[in-house]
Amino acid sequence: MIFMDQEVFLLAPKCRLSCYKKNTTAYEHLLKENQCLTIRNPSLGENRQKVKYVHSSFKINLNENTIVEQSAEPVGAEWGFDFSPFESVVEDPDNDGKSFKSPIDVIGFVVKCLPSEEKTENNNGKDEKKATFILEDLQHQQIYVTLWGVYADQIIEFQREHKDEKNVVVVVQFGKYRFWGGNLFVSNLYTVTRVFINTEIPEILEFKRSFLAQMNTSTSSGYSGLSSPVMKSMAEEYLSDISFSTIGALTGISEEKFVIILGTIKSFASEDSWFYNACKTCNKKVFTNTISKAKEDCSEGYDEVTVLECQTDRCNKRTVVSVPRIKLLIRVQDCTGIVTLTLFEREVVKLLNVNANQLLDNNMELASEGNFPSELRALINRRFAFKIAICSFNINKKLDGYSVSKLTENPSIIKDLDAHFDVYQAADDEPLGPHASDPTPIVNVNIQDSVSRVVDEDTPMSNLNNSIFTTPSGAHISCSSKMLDNELKRNLEAVYDV
């Protein structure tokens, strides 16, 4: 329980109140939320909780000699908020960024709400809703707030009942916080947190009045409140809103966008390197640099010291700490060609439940170039729908290495995508090595590998169903799936010597 004194008690307005189980019966009828009490003869102890709900380092214990009585009149503030201005919460350069700190009270104007979603990979194995939005305070500093479970339900219910409301103020009391990528993130602290959304209480009414007084037409147009749509389903994301492409047609794309492809992971483009040293703050690659530093013993001269530098200037303003992250170059094949994709740790963890740190902890020899974790080979011959990013580098340089944004092997998604393409994208049963097994095959087949970039830009399947796909050169030749399947099988047998 959290107890708030009408005076500042032990240098903090709120403290933890504990009661041993054997004494609960005597006091439980009085221990109710918002109940004002008079407490006499409690004992005082040290608050040793690892996760603290209040700032006080002490706690009050109710014992056999304690007298608890209901107060005749309410005293003190009703809610006892202790708001922290966003700019006052400073990132600790020695913090690893993984652990949250607590508690924190924040109040802010909702600038934008991100799509809500459901997460099934939690500790208790149950589905849990998640809602994320951006708050802005009176000093125009912004933070991210992520709420889970019943607190996310509060946000979603408000969205549903107040679809057109853009002037929304939210209070999060007894939250926890951490920094990620240089941004402050606040979340609910188990079930202790309180969330107030446009509630008719003095703190929210006064904040809204002050914020709206500062707002002008140009700034208000950028605030969407909590009226963001609910996150689209997986089927909608993969089947409705993004362009589809065969692998062979990727070279014909001339604009930056996301596309969906279907393919089977046949091999790794390189087994010499499977991870990189990333900045713990922003996940970008770090480099070592040698600098001259004054000697610690204050003697004349300088010592040469090797330090880590991040590609992000903001990260270099403090000590850069690195952590290994998985980065795989995978070779993905469909019936029109082969492409190299870049798969990062986030997606690998979802598929294999293992990260770079865990792999290296199990076998430090894997840190040496040329050593490849056997655990990652479990990805071979698995078929996925890949959401990949076509960026200016791919377009201007005519190179692949497209980054994988998301991927799924959900059977219903794969089935619907197969039906959409109206073609059976056959997966060769023989794994393809990083390099061709025979550099001079006897039969020379006109099949394009998107890495080789041969002169002929046309691919066997890129002219399929000219109502859906066209080759980059614009040729239109109709053919049946069965004919293409048979021709592809003969071609692959000749090229890969199976």
Side-chain angles (χ1 to χ4, degrees):
M1 292 168 284
I2 299 173
F3 180 78
M4 182 175 65
D5 194 4
Q6 70 178 105
E7 305 289 342
V8 176
F9 180 76
L10 297 174
L11 303 181
K14 294 186 283 288
C15 66
R16 180 187 169 196
L17 181 69
S18 298
C19 180
Y20 291 113
K21 188 175 182 180
K22 62 181 181 179
N23 300 323
T24 302
T25 305
Y27 306 117
E28 62 182 351
H29 66 287
L30 294 170
L31 302 178
K32 299 177 182 179
E33 188 170 326
N34 294 331
Q35 177 70 63
C36 291
L37 303 172
T38 300
I39 300 177
R40 297 184 179 91
N41 301 326
S43 57
L44 190 65
E46 184 181 356
N47 184 6
R48 296 182 179 179
Q49 271 189 316
K50 185 176 181 181
V51 178
K52 288 184 167 51
Y53 305 141
V54 293
H55 291 291
S56 175
S57 57
F58 297 94
K59 66 176 181 178
I60 295 176
N61 297 316
L62 304 183
N63 54 53
E64 296 90 341
N65 300 319
T66 303
I67 300 174
V68 179
E69 298 175 339
Q70 184 174 348
S71 177
E73 296 182 5
V75 294
E78 182 177 2
W79 302 107
F81 296 123
D82 183 20
F83 295 125
S84 297
F86 299 166
E87 63 181 0
S88 70
V89 186
V90 181
E91 183 174 6
D92 182 359
D94 297 325
N95 185 29
D96 60 9
K98 292 183 179 179
S99 59
F100 280 92
K101 294 182 178 181
S102 63
I104 189 172
D105 294 357
V106 295
I107 183 171
F109 194 90
V110 179
V111 174
K112 181 179 181 182
C113 186
L114 305 181
S116 57
E117 57 182 297
E118 280 196 4
K119 181 181 179 182
T120 56
E121 303 169 3
N122 49 58
N123 294 333
N124 56 23
K126 297 180 181 179
D127 293 347
E128 192 171 31
K129 291 181 181 177
K130 171 186 174 184
T132 301
F133 51 93
I134 300 174
L135 287 184
E136 184 173 312
D137 65 7
L138 295 176
Q139 288 70 45
H140 303 295
Q141 301 293 317
Q142 295 184 354
I143 65 170
Y144 289 86
V145 176
T146 298
L147 300 177
W148 299 88
V150 294
Y151 299 107
D153 288 335
Q154 269 189 262
I155 299 296
I156 294 170
E157 184 179 354
F158 187 92
Q159 289 175 330
R160 184 169 54 249
E161 296 179 357
H162 305 83
K163 293 181 180 180
D164 299 325
E165 180 60 65
K166 290 189 176 182
N167 298 329
V168 181
V169 175
V170 172
V171 168
V172 178
Q173 187 181 29
F174 304 122
K176 61 181 180 180
Y177 67 95
R178 70 168 179 173
F179 281 84
W180 181 257
N183 297 308
L184 176 62
F185 283 77
V186 172
S187 184
N188 55 282
L189 183 59
Y190 305 118
T191 58
V192 179
T193 300
R194 284 173 173 162
V195 175
F196 302 82
I197 311 170
N198 264 13
T199 311
E200 296 286 325
I201 57 177
E203 290 84 354
I204 286 182
L205 295 174
E206 176 60 25
F207 183 94
K208 182 184 287 189
R209 184 193 63 76
S210 300
F211 194 94
L212 293 177
Q214 297 179 10
M215 187 184 296
N216 54 47
T217 305
S218 60
T219 57
S220 62
S221 61
Y223 296 155
S224 59
L226 289 174
S227 59
S228 104
V230 175
M231 188 175 221
K232 294 171 183 167
S233 67
M234 183 183 295
E236 290 174 324
E237 182 168 10
Y238 282 91
L239 301 174
S240 302
D241 302 324
I242 300 177
S243 301
F244 300 88
S245 176
T246 59
I247 289 175
L250 289 175
T251 56
I253 298 176
S254 58
E255 60 176 322
E256 296 182 36
K257 63 178 180 177
F258 288 100
V259 300
I260 299 294
I261 63 171
L262 270 173
T264 302
I265 299 177
K266 304 304 294 182
S267 67
F268 301 102
S270 171
E271 294 190 359
D272 291 332
S273 177
W274 59 274
F275 75 95
Y276 71 104
N277 288 315
C279 173
K280 219 167 191 179
T281 300
C282 69
N283 273 339
K284 291 189 177 180
K285 188 174 181 179
V286 299
F287 302 92
T288 57
N289 187 24
T290 302
I291 62 173
S292 295
K293 188 177 180 181
K295 292 186 176 183
E296 293 184 0
D297 60 4
C298 298
S299 60
E300 294 184 2
Y302 295 89
D303 288 330
E304 289 190 347
V305 180
T306 300
V307 296
L308 293 175
E309 290 188 353
C310 180
Q311 300 179 48
T312 306
D313 292 337
R314 182 175 57 188
C315 297
N316 289 325
K317 293 179 181 178
R318 55 184 179 272
T319 302
V320 176
V321 180
S322 69
V323 62
R325 302 286 190 205
I326 293 174
K327 179 182 178 181
L328 293 175
L329 297 178
I330 56 175
R331 299 277 277 157
V332 177
Q333 177 186 1
D334 70 0
C335 54
T336 70
I338 310 162
V339 68
T340 299
L341 304 181
T342 303
L343 190 63
F344 291 96
E345 181 165 285
R346 181 185 63 179
E347 301 304 324
V348 175
V349 169
K350 291 179 183 177
L351 297 172
L352 304 180
N353 198 29
V354 65
N355 60 31
N357 253 334
Q358 293 168 327
L359 292 171
L360 292 169
D361 286 344
N362 293 335
N363 186 359
M364 283 304 299
E365 292 183 0
L366 293 174
S368 302
E369 187 173 339
N371 291 333
F372 195 82
S374 58
E375 291 88 341
L376 298 180
R377 299 189 190 280
L379 295 171
I380 298 297
N381 287 329
R382 290 172 67 172
R383 189 165 183 248
F384 297 94
F386 296 89
K387 178 183 176 181
I388 64 174
I390 310 293
C391 65
S392 58
F393 172 83
N394 306 120
I395 298 170
N396 298 334
K397 301 293 185 181
K398 294 294 181 183
L399 294 174
D400 57 1
Y402 306 101
S403 294
V404 177
S405 175
K406 290 184 179 180
L407 76 167
T408 182
E409 53 184 347
N410 183 296
S412 62
I413 300 295
I414 301 294
K415 181 179 178 181
D416 287 343
L417 286 174
D418 275 332
H420 178 87
F421 283 103
D422 192 29
V423 60
Y424 172 69
Q425 299 194 47
D428 185 16
D429 292 333
E430 180 72 16
L432 295 172
H435 307 286
S437 58
D438 184 356
T440 56
I442 297 174
V443 181
N444 190 14
V445 183
N446 182 25
I447 181 170
Q448 179 182 347
D449 182 331
S450 61
V451 173
S452 61
R453 304 291 185 225
V454 293
V455 176
D456 185 0
E457 290 286 336
D458 290 342
T459 61
M461 290 288 286
S462 58
N463 48 25
L464 169 67
N465 286 348
N466 54 22
S467 63
I468 303 177
F469 303 111
T470 60
T471 62
S473 60
H476 300 274
I477 305 174
S478 297
C479 54
S480 70
S481 301
K482 185 174 182 181
M483 291 173 58
L484 288 164
D485 184 25
N486 293 336
E487 180 65 20
L488 171 69
K489 194 169 183 179
R490 289 195 297 271
N491 291 348
L492 291 176
E493 287 176 351
V495 172
Y496 302 117
D497 201 21
V498 294

Short mmCIF file of all heavy atoms in Angstrom, two decimals, residues 129-131 147-157:
data_model
loop_
_atom_site.label_atom_id
_atom_site.label_comp_id
_atom_site.label_asym_id
_atom_site.label_seq_id
_atom_site.Cartn_x
_atom_site.Cartn_y
_atom_site.Cartn_z
N LYS A 129 -2.50 -6.55 -24.41
CA LYS A 129 -2.62 -5.40 -25.29
C LYS A 129 -1.58 -4.35 -24.93
O LYS A 129 -1.14 -4.23 -23.79
CB LYS A 129 -4.02 -4.81 -25.20
CG LYS A 129 -5.08 -5.72 -25.82
CD LYS A 129 -6.45 -5.09 -25.74
CE LYS A 129 -7.50 -6.02 -26.35
NZ LYS A 129 -8.87 -5.46 -26.23
N LYS A 130 -1.20 -3.57 -25.94
CA LYS A 130 -0.17 -2.55 -25.78
C LYS A 130 -0.63 -1.29 -26.51
O LYS A 130 -1.09 -1.35 -27.65
CB LYS A 130 1.15 -3.06 -26.37
CG LYS A 130 2.24 -2.01 -26.47
CD LYS A 130 3.45 -2.61 -27.20
CE LYS A 130 4.51 -1.57 -27.46
NZ LYS A 130 5.64 -2.12 -28.26
N ALA A 131 -0.51 -0.15 -25.83
CA ALA A 131 -0.86 1.14 -26.43
C ALA A 131 0.28 2.12 -26.19
O ALA A 131 0.76 2.26 -25.07
CB ALA A 131 -2.15 1.68 -25.84
N LEU A 147 1.65 1.73 -22.46
CA LEU A 147 0.82 1.11 -21.41
C LEU A 147 0.42 -0.30 -21.85
O LEU A 147 0.19 -0.55 -23.03
CB LEU A 147 -0.42 1.95 -21.16
CG LEU A 147 -0.17 3.39 -20.69
CD1 LEU A 147 -1.49 4.14 -20.54
CD2 LEU A 147 0.61 3.43 -19.38
N TRP A 148 0.34 -1.19 -20.86
CA TRP A 148 0.06 -2.60 -21.13
C TRP A 148 -1.21 -3.04 -20.41
O TRP A 148 -1.62 -2.47 -19.41
CB TRP A 148 1.22 -3.47 -20.65
CG TRP A 148 2.53 -3.19 -21.32
CD1 TRP A 148 3.47 -2.27 -20.96
CD2 TRP A 148 3.04 -3.82 -22.49
NE1 TRP A 148 4.53 -2.30 -21.82
CE2 TRP A 148 4.31 -3.24 -22.77
CE3 TRP A 148 2.58 -4.85 -23.31
CZ2 TRP A 148 5.10 -3.65 -23.83
CZ3 TRP A 148 3.36 -5.25 -24.39
CH2 TRP A 148 4.60 -4.66 -24.64
N GLY A 149 -1.81 -4.11 -20.93
CA GLY A 149 -2.91 -4.77 -20.26
C GLY A 149 -4.11 -3.87 -20.04
O GLY A 149 -4.62 -3.24 -20.96
N VAL A 150 -4.59 -3.82 -18.79
CA VAL A 150 -5.80 -3.05 -18.48
C VAL A 150 -5.60 -1.56 -18.73
O VAL A 150 -6.56 -0.84 -19.03
CB VAL A 150 -6.24 -3.29 -17.02
CG1 VAL A 150 -6.67 -4.73 -16.81
CG2 VAL A 150 -5.13 -2.93 -16.04
N TYR A 151 -4.36 -1.09 -18.62
CA TYR A 151 -4.09 0.33 -18.88
C TYR A 151 -4.20 0.63 -20.37
O TYR A 151 -4.67 1.70 -20.76
CB TYR A 151 -2.72 0.70 -18.34
CG TYR A 151 -2.58 0.49 -16.85
CD1 TYR A 151 -1.82 -0.55 -16.34
CD2 TYR A 151 -3.23 1.33 -15.96
CE1 TYR A 151 -1.70 -0.76 -14.97
CE2 TYR A 151 -3.13 1.13 -14.58
CZ TYR A 151 -2.37 0.08 -14.10
OH TYR A 151 -2.27 -0.12 -12.75
N ALA A 152 -3.76 -0.31 -21.20
CA ALA A 152 -3.95 -0.16 -22.65
C ALA A 152 -5.43 -0.20 -22.99
O ALA A 152 -5.89 0.53 -23.88
CB ALA A 152 -3.20 -1.26 -23.39
N ASP A 153 -6.19 -1.03 -22.28
CA ASP A 153 -7.65 -1.08 -22.50
C ASP A 153 -8.29 0.28 -22.22
O ASP A 153 -9.24 0.68 -22.90
CB ASP A 153 -8.28 -2.14 -21.59
CG ASP A 153 -7.95 -3.56 -22.03
OD1 ASP A 153 -7.66 -3.74 -23.22
OD2 ASP A 153 -7.97 -4.46 -21.18
N GLN A 154 -7.78 0.99 -21.20
CA GLN A 154 -8.29 2.33 -20.91
C GLN A 154 -8.14 3.26 -22.11
O GLN A 154 -9.06 4.00 -22.48
CB GLN A 154 -7.52 2.95 -19.73
CG GLN A 154 -8.13 2.68 -18.37
CD GLN A 154 -7.42 3.50 -17.30
OE1 GLN A 154 -6.54 3.00 -16.61
NE2 GLN A 154 -7.82 4.75 -17.16
N ILE A 155 -6.95 3.20 -22.73
CA ILE A 155 -6.68 4.06 -23.89
C ILE A 155 -7.57 3.66 -25.07
O ILE A 155 -8.18 4.52 -25.73
CB ILE A 155 -5.19 3.95 -24.29
CG1 ILE A 155 -4.28 4.42 -23.15
CG2 ILE A 155 -4.93 4.75 -25.56
CD1 ILE A 155 -4.43 5.87 -22.78
N ILE A 156 -7.67 2.36 -25.32
CA ILE A 156 -8.45 1.88 -26.46
C ILE A 156 -9.93 2.21 -26.29
O ILE A 156 -10.62 2.60 -27.23
CB ILE A 156 -8.24 0.36 -26.64
CG1 ILE A 156 -6.79 0.08 -27.02
CG2 ILE A 156 -9.18 -0.21 -27.69
CD1 ILE A 156 -6.40 -1.38 -27.00
N GLU A 157 -10.44 2.07 -25.05
CA GLU A 157 -11.84 2.41 -24.79
C GLU A 157 -12.10 3.90 -24.99
O GLU A 157 -13.13 4.29 -25.55
CB GLU A 157 -12.20 1.99 -23.37
CG GLU A 157 -13.67 2.22 -23.03
CD GLU A 157 -14.03 1.78 -21.62
OE1 GLU A 157 -13.15 1.18 -20.95
OE2 GLU A 157 -15.16 2.03 -21.19
#
